[in-house]
């Protein structure tokens, strides 16, 4: 199959997987803390990847290990915890919508730090997307008043982290296969995640059914939504471009929104307008 067709298939699969990740985080938070969700997510993904991709670590040169470690910090470690913390206060569908800022941030950082070329239309898209983000932050939840939208800033930081990650991969790891990058990332993070998890109260509540159910949801999140998805994502970056790869966030909110409806989450009219404005911004920024 031609690369042009294959990249769209990868994009569709990733949107389904990652669009479902936010509801899995929410289910994980029922019996676990945000730190435990983030730690278990990394641990399960790391164990899975070390089983299926251990031999691929041999392909990583000494020079490349430095960039593998850096991308593991920005592309996995920080977002795993930031998204979980954010969802303790913000609906999963809102978090998914704000995740759409990733391609905007990828473009901005690419222009500033990596010297990529851009068009005026793309800059307009950045400002439009930020306007939609601001509208979401200021709107809050007028119906229930239960959501703390300061936690939205954690999602914005996570999208900036993702943007740094994809630009680094494209510039410094473009000649390394996706399995090696992904497995290397989680090999670096396994020990830190285990140490962080050991500082929580997990040993006291591991025998509770509620905790075990949450761990199961996070296991699915770690293996499918993090391990397998990252392999596909890094492959997509290499066969296309950072901005195209992060445009998966066009479709993620749609998938997440329907999961949210099934879990009794609803957007207010103002939130819907903010979400639409963000997606317009993403479209303009990615259009050539």
């Amino acid at each position: 199959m031609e690369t042009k067709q294959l990249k769209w298939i990868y994009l569709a699969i990733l949107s389904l997987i990652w669009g479902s990740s936010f509801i899995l985080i929410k289910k994980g938070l029922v019996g676990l803390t945000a730190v435990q969700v983030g730690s278990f997510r990394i641990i399960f993904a790391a164990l899975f990847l070390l089983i299926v991709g251990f031999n691929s670590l041999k392909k990583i040169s000494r020079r490349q290990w430095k960039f593998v470690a850096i991308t593991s910090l920005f592309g996995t470690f920080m977002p795993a915890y930031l998204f979980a913390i954010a969802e303790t206060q913000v609906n999963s569908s809102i978090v998914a919508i704000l995740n759409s800022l990733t391609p905007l941030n990828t473009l901005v950082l690419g222009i500033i730090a990596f010297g990529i070329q851009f068009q005026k239309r793309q800059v307009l898209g950045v400002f439009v997307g930020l306007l939609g983000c601001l509208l979401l932050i200021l709107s809050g939840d007028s119906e229930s008043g239960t959501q703390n939208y300061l936690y939205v800033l954690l999602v914005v930081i996570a999208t900036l982290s993702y943007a740094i990650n994809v630009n680094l991969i494209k510039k410094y790891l473009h000649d390394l296969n996706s399995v090696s990058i992904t497995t290397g990332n989680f090999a670096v993070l396994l020990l830190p995640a285990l140490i962080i998890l050991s500082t929580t109260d997990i040993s006291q509540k591991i025998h509770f059914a509620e905790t075990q159910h949450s761990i199961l949801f996070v296991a699915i999140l770690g293996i499918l939504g993090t391990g397998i998805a990252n392999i596909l994502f890094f492959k997509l970056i290499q066969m296309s471009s950072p901005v195209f790869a992060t445009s998966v966030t066009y479709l993620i909110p749609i998938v997440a929104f329907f999961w949210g409806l099934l879990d009794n989450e609803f957007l207010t009219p103002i939130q819907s307008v903010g979400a639409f404005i963000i997606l317009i911004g993403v479209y303009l920024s990615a259009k050539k």
Side-chain angles (χ1 to χ4, degrees), residues 72-261:
S72 73
L73 173 65
F74 289 108
T76 300
F77 189 79
M78 289 175 60
Y81 291 103
L82 290 173
F83 278 118
I85 295 170
E87 283 201 34
T88 63
Q89 299 293 328
V90 183
N91 281 345
S92 63
S93 53
I94 294 292
V95 173
I97 291 166
L98 287 165
N99 187 54
S100 298
L101 292 172
T102 298
L104 302 183
N105 291 328
T106 300
L107 175 64
V108 172
L109 288 174
I111 293 170
I112 295 173
F114 298 91
I116 68 170
Q117 297 181 343
F118 64 95
Q119 298 178 3
K120 292 181 180 179
R121 181 192 303 111
Q122 293 175 300
V123 176
L124 174 63
V126 170
F127 284 106
V128 170
L130 291 178
L131 176 63
C133 177
L134 184 62
L135 187 59
L136 271 183
I137 293 173
L138 296 178
S139 68
D141 190 336
S142 59
E143 294 183 0
S144 66
T146 59
Q147 299 192 74
N148 185 346
Y149 274 76
L150 289 176
Y151 280 74
V152 164
L153 296 178
L154 297 180
V155 183
V156 176
I157 294 171
T159 63
L160 283 168
S161 183
Y162 278 146
I164 294 171
N165 177 56
V166 295
N167 278 297
L168 286 172
I169 290 171
K170 188 66 176 180
K171 184 168 184 177
Y172 298 108
L173 298 175
H174 60 88
D175 55 343
L176 189 62
N177 70 70
S178 59
V179 177
S180 295
I181 297 173
T182 311
T183 306
N185 281 168
F186 285 93
V188 170
L189 296 179
L190 179 57
L191 183 58
L194 286 169
I195 293 173
I196 292 172
L197 182 63
S198 69
T199 65
T200 70
D201 64 345
I202 189 62
S203 60
Q204 283 83 38
K205 62 182 185 182
I206 190 71
H207 59 282
F208 295 144
E210 186 178 69
T211 301
Q212 293 171 0
H213 289 157
S214 290
I215 291 174
L216 177 61
F217 283 119
V218 180
I220 297 171
L221 174 67
I223 295 171
L224 182 63
T226 305
I228 295 175
N230 273 345
I231 293 175
L232 295 176
F233 184 59
F234 292 151
K235 183 67 176 177
L236 184 60
I237 293 172
Q238 292 172 326
M239 71 169 57
S240 58
S241 68
V243 172
F244 179 86
T246 54
S247 67
V248 65
T249 48
Y250 285 124
L251 304 175
I252 287 174
I254 299 173
V255 177
F257 175 72
F258 282 106
W259 278 117
L261 288 179

